[in-house]
Each structure stands twice: as structure tokens, then as C-alpha cells.
Amino acid sequence: MTAHLYDLTLADGRRLSPYCWAAKLALAHKGVRFETTATRFVDIGKVAGGGFKTVPIVEIDGVTIGDSFELALHLERTRVDSPALFAGEGGVALTRAAAAQGAYLLGKMSRPMALAIHDGLDAETQAYFRASRERMFKAPLEEVSAEPEITIAAAREAMTPLRILLRGQPFIGGDSPLFADFLIAGLFQWARVVGAVDYLAGEDRIGPWFGRLEERYGATLGATAG
Amino acid sequence: MTAHLYDLTLADGRRLSPYCWAAKLALAHKGVRFETTATRFVDIGKVAGGGFKTVPIVEIDGVTIGDSFELALHLERTRVDSPALFAGEGGVALTRAAAAQGAYLLGKMSRPMALAIHDGLDAETQAYFRASRERMFKAPLEEVSAEPEITIAAAREAMTPLRILLRGQPFIGGDSPLFADFLIAGLFQWARVVGAVDYLAGEDRIGPWFGRLEERYGATLGATAG
């Protein structure tokens, strides 16, 4: 059976959300076919019966799941013969640590990208995005995305633990990728789709790691416009 | 049987190394009794038959293990009925991510502490420590530990992902501690033993987390002088 994912979109159809990318990689990893519906920020509350505030929203196995981590747990429970996403209880707990690291990175990486994301949205969605992000950052978007050389350097600094880790193993999950890889890869894919900052440039450990994921999930990562 | 751990010491007997603290917490977690020998930086190469360059060095089950992560893997393999340190293969891989995060934190936390550590060593060890650390930091120790308000702020910034994680779960390992907790707790215990910087002060998530570990491993964490 085919799963259905409501996928955040820019005005031109390019798929945005790092957590949707993590969800799509998890589905691909488990061999689950899926279709996506391009969904604007302002329409999230209207799809899948309503009531969801964030994406991804995934209809699968007769249930609707509104969170990428919950989706990954569901996939691990229901697809035990497919490659693992967590590989045990310890893996689940420590993937929460990777998610915390990802949330921190998201905040850092988003600053120099914020205005470019805004500019890629339709007018109605721009108004929503500007209001919500300016509340979050406590500053106008023009200020958040000012001085990109400083904010990009801060984001690169925050990637240091990932660089240290990838000295010793090809994937965050060890010899093969786990959901922790997809959570972090979603961030780099999001940045790549927006295109304002090339975070993979000059990264001699993170770049090849992302390349290894592209080798495995090229069809998924290549579907940037849906 | 009792294990034996060569434990890094300051001149007055206070036990220093974050990785020795991680090892002692792992032994305590698995219910393994151990004794320690106070060991100076300059004597590491002479103990346990020689040939080791770093601590902890642990004699256990007829083997000698020179690395806290390897010790934890050995304990997990040989004490399957005791509480888990990794809880599965995914846990092992993602504990490497926690270790990378720890290595990054270690670098940040050590700057404002470096001169205080030096001053706590005997004269022979001071000379070794100064030379090796000045090579590492590419600066005199006095410069490394200058402007502590700036370096402490940088260390606190690097703790942000840990704060985010502890919003959602009591331990890094989830509902109970895993080796990842001990790797990070070792850093805070190291700082506490040195006493130059109170990294737990004002930390309303990290402080209570460390307190929960003290509740469980108070005897181990209390043995700061061996």
C-alpha cells in the first residue's frame, strides 16, 4: 500500500521542510511507497481532516501521523524485516539526542536562509511566515538574515560534533544509516532546496556523508519539486 | 572479582579525567566493584605493563582495556543481566555521536579551566601538561584561560542541544541512564573536581539531570579523592 505525505512547499513547488525530508528518507529506507501533496504553510491546518499544526502529516496503514519521529517509530514497529531505523531501545533514546542536536542546528542554519525562504513563498504565505518567524527570532527577517558571513560561521561551528563523529564512521548510525542520519540530512537537503547557502561546500566529512546518502536515496532526494 | 582502574590525579589526590569518571560510572552501573590507583599524567606510560597513552586503563576479567568506550562495550558483552549501557546496536552507534558531542564540549569547557588544572599538578607534571596543552591549543595556557567570561559563554552555548534534549526526557539514555549519560556527566564531574568553573550553576535542566545521576551513583561521584 502507498502512504501519503503532506509536504511543505514553496510557491514554485519546491519541497521545503527538513522534517518532511527526514520522513521521506525514513519511508524510502523501509521500502514504503509514498505520494506527496504540496502543502502551503497556511494550509497545514486544513489537510488530512484538520487539526495538525506541523508537517509532515502522513497517512499510512489506516492512521494519520503528524510527526516525523512518530512516523519512524511506527515504521520500525510495523516493518521489522526492513532495515532498521533505530536498531533497539537505546537507539530510540539516543535518536532523541540527535533530534535535539538537529533542532539546535536548524535554528543556526535557518538565520541566513530566512529571508530567502520568505521570498520563495506566495504572498499569503509570506505574511504568515514573516509574522511567525519574527515572533520566533524576535527580530525582523531582514535583520535575521543580515550579516550572513557571521550567521553562516555560527552554523558551521555548530556542525563540529558531526564532523568529529564522521571521522570514525561513515554514517551517524554507524556502518549504515539510521533515522538519526535522516533527521540531520533533512536539514542539509532543506538548505539545498532553498539554495541561499551552500552548507555542504568545503565540508570534507559532511559533504561525502551526504553523498553516501544520495547514493542510497537518490530518487527520494532528487524529487525536490514533488 | 574486583576491577582495577588507573585514575588520573592532581597533586593532592583529586581525580581528574572525564573519561575515567565515565568509566567509573559505567562500572558502578554494571555493579562491578573496582579499586583505583592515583596516576599522574607523566606516569600513564609506565602503569599496567606499559604501552598505554591515555586513561582510563582498566584491568578486568584478565584483560587490560585502555579506553572508556571499549570498557563499556566489554561490560555490555560480559554483564548481559545488569542494566544496559547501550541497549542495542543502534545505541552503540549513536553513543559514538554522544562521544563526539562530548569531545566538542570537552574542548570548549577546558579553556577556562586549563590554567587551574596546571596549577593543581606537581612540578614535573606541570611541565608535561603545559607543553602538551599549549601544542593542542596553539597558545600559552595563560592566554587559553584568559577572558573566562567569553570562553565560559562559548561552553554554555555548546551545551544547548543537551538542554533541548533534557526538556523531553530525564536522562540522555531516556528513562534511565546509558553510557552516553556517563560520557557527558564525566565532563561536568571533571569540572566540579577542578573547581575553577561552576558549569552546573544556573542550569535548570542540566543541573537536575546531574543531580539524578548523583542520586544513583553518589558513592562513585563522591569519591573525588580516590
Side-chain angles (χ1 to χ4, degrees):
Chain A
M1 66 160 291
T2 301
H4 193 101
L5 185 144
Y6 293 90
D7 200 7
L8 204 63
T9 189
L10 291 170
D12 65 3
R14 279 179 295 149
R15 302 307 169 86
L16 194 65
S17 156
Y19 295 110
C20 286
W21 284 112
K24 288 182 276 186
L25 287 165
L27 288 163
H29 185 70
K30 286 289 192 185
V32 178
R33 285 167 182 270
F34 61 92
E35 293 169 349
T36 67
T37 299
T39 308
R40 301 185 306 161
F41 276 104
V42 291
D43 295 328
I44 290 174
K46 301 172 197 165
V47 302
F52 291 96
K53 289 183 174 171
T54 56
V55 286
I57 304 163
V58 182
E59 295 164 339
I60 182 170
D61 302 331
V63 295
T64 307
I65 300 172
D67 176 84
S68 63
F69 208 114
E70 289 304 314
L71 171 71
L73 290 170
H74 172 87
L75 291 170
E76 191 81 332
R77 255 192 322 266
T78 54
R79 273 80 175 170
V80 293
D81 296 330
S82 302
L85 285 165
F86 297 101
E89 281 308 304
V92 173
L94 294 172
T95 302
R96 301 276 183 198
Q101 179 68 27
Y104 177 63
L105 262 179
L106 173 66
K108 295 284 179 190
M109 291 170 73
S110 64
R111 288 189 160 267
M113 295 164 54
L115 198 58
I117 295 172
H118 170 273
D119 293 348
L121 299 166
D122 63 278
E124 182 189 355
T125 312
Q126 280 187 348
Y128 158 82
F129 182 84
R130 179 178 286 279
S132 74
R133 265 48 182 183
E134 294 191 346
R135 217 166 27 241
M136 188 187 298
F137 285 117
K138 298 182 181 69
L141 287 184
E142 285 72 12
E143 202 176 290
V144 171
S145 290
E147 304 196 277
E149 63 290 349
I150 294 175
T151 55
I152 290 170
R156 289 196 185 276
E157 163 76 23
M159 294 169 195
T160 311
L162 179 59
R163 280 184 215 109
I164 295 171
L165 176 65
L166 293 173
R167 272 185 218 158
Q169 56 195 56
F171 295 103
I172 299 172
D175 290 330
S176 47
L178 293 174
F179 186 56
D181 288 89
F182 305 150
L183 279 169
I184 305 300
L187 297 168
F188 287 93
Q189 174 77 351
W190 160 66
R192 212 162 57 145
V193 168
V194 174
V197 185
D198 187 353
Y199 281 118
L200 293 172
E203 289 289 347
D204 64 356
R205 294 187 193 283
I206 298 173
W209 160 76
F210 195 85
R212 287 189 286 275
L213 292 171
E214 279 190 299
E215 277 170 31
R216 291 176 179 234
Y217 312 104
T220 304
L221 289 168
T224 55
Chain B
M1 66 158 293
T2 301
H4 193 102
L5 185 143
Y6 293 90
D7 199 8
L8 202 65
T9 187
L10 291 170
D12 66 2
R14 279 178 295 149
R15 301 310 169 83
L16 195 64
S17 155
Y19 294 110
C20 287
W21 284 113
K24 290 182 276 186
L25 287 165
L27 289 163
H29 184 72
K30 284 291 193 183
V32 178
R33 287 167 179 268
F34 61 93
E35 294 169 347
T36 67
T37 299
T39 308
R40 301 184 307 162
F41 276 104
V42 290
D43 295 329
I44 291 172
K46 301 172 197 164
V47 303
F52 291 96
K53 289 185 174 171
T54 56
V55 287
I57 304 162
V58 182
E59 294 164 341
I60 184 170
D61 304 331
V63 295
T64 307
I65 299 172
D67 177 82
S68 63
F69 207 113
E70 288 304 314
L71 172 69
L73 290 170
H74 172 86
L75 291 170
E76 191 82 332
R77 256 192 320 265
T78 54
R79 273 80 176 170
V80 292
D81 295 330
S82 301
L85 284 165
F86 297 102
E89 281 309 303
V92 173
L94 294 172
T95 302
R96 302 276 181 197
Q101 179 68 26
Y104 178 62
L105 262 178
L106 173 66
K108 294 285 178 189
M109 291 170 73
S110 64
R111 289 191 159 265
M113 296 165 54
L115 199 58
I117 293 172
H118 171 272
D119 293 347
L121 299 167
D122 64 277
E124 183 188 354
T125 312
Q126 280 185 351
Y128 159 82
F129 182 84
R130 179 179 285 278
S132 73
R133 266 48 182 182
E134 294 190 346
R135 217 165 29 239
M136 189 186 299
F137 285 117
K138 300 184 179 70
L141 287 185
E142 286 71 14
E143 203 174 290
V144 171
S145 289
E147 307 196 276
E149 62 291 348
I150 293 174
T151 55
I152 291 170
R156 288 196 186 277
E157 163 76 23
M159 296 170 194
T160 311
L162 180 58
R163 280 185 214 107
I164 295 172
L165 175 64
L166 293 172
R167 272 185 216 158
Q169 56 194 57
F171 295 102
I172 298 171
D175 290 332
S176 46
L178 293 174
F179 186 58
D181 288 88
F182 305 150
L183 279 170
I184 305 301
L187 297 168
F188 286 93
Q189 173 76 351
W190 161 65
R192 211 163 59 146
V193 168
V194 174
V197 185
D198 187 353
Y199 281 118
L200 293 172
E203 288 289 347
D204 64 356
R205 294 187 194 282
I206 298 174
W209 161 75
F210 195 85
R212 286 189 287 275
L213 293 171
E214 279 190 297
E215 278 171 29
R216 291 177 177 234
Y217 312 104
T220 304
L221 290 168
T224 54

